[in-house]
Amino acid sequence: MRIVALAILSGSVALLASPTLAKDRAPTPQEQAAIEKVLRAEGFVAWEEIEYDDDRPIRQPVWDIDDARTADGKVFDVRLEPGTLKVLRRAADD
């Protein structure tokens, strides 16, 4: 019985750690419009992907924007706080 319980527990832990359970999602049309407004105000003219990253261990969820480009061609990865859309991180993407 003890071995069965350990096997079930091990399987449960593996499932929880599995990337197939990720909650990342694309923004709704309303969220997309609000995020794009913030990105333009920050000087970005284009970006690749916007996704809500809700599977960050221990950390708060964020909006992740990949490869946001400025008019002069510089590329950044940007993180926005959900709700307020405050810029949490703007890191040069090399």
Side-chain angles (χ1 to χ4, degrees):
M1 185 68 162
R2 188 178 213 181
I3 293 173
V4 172
L6 286 174
I8 291 171
L9 180 60
S10 297
S12 298
V13 169
L15 270 177
L16 289 173
S18 171
T20 59
L21 296 178
K23 298 178 187 175
D24 294 352
R25 66 171 177 83
T28 65
Q30 295 84 2
E31 291 167 333
Q32 178 92 19
I35 291 166
E36 288 180 357
K37 183 177 179 180
V38 169
L39 291 173
R40 285 189 187 94
E42 289 290 321
F44 296 105
V45 296
W47 40 87
E48 292 294 317
E49 180 182 23
I50 299 172
E51 81 176 354
Y52 183 73
D53 186 356
D54 192 22
D55 61 349
R56 303 174 67 211
I58 305 175
R59 297 183 182 156
Q60 70 179 29
V62 295
W63 284 108
D64 267 331
I65 298 89
D66 293 327
D67 298 337
R69 290 175 175 75
T70 57
D72 61 0
K74 293 180 182 173
V75 181
F76 297 85
D77 286 334
V78 179
R79 287 190 180 150
L80 302 179
E81 182 177 58
T84 67
L85 300 182
K86 174 185 169 191
V87 176
L88 297 173
R89 179 176 172 235
R90 177 183 178 140
D93 189 27
D94 299 322

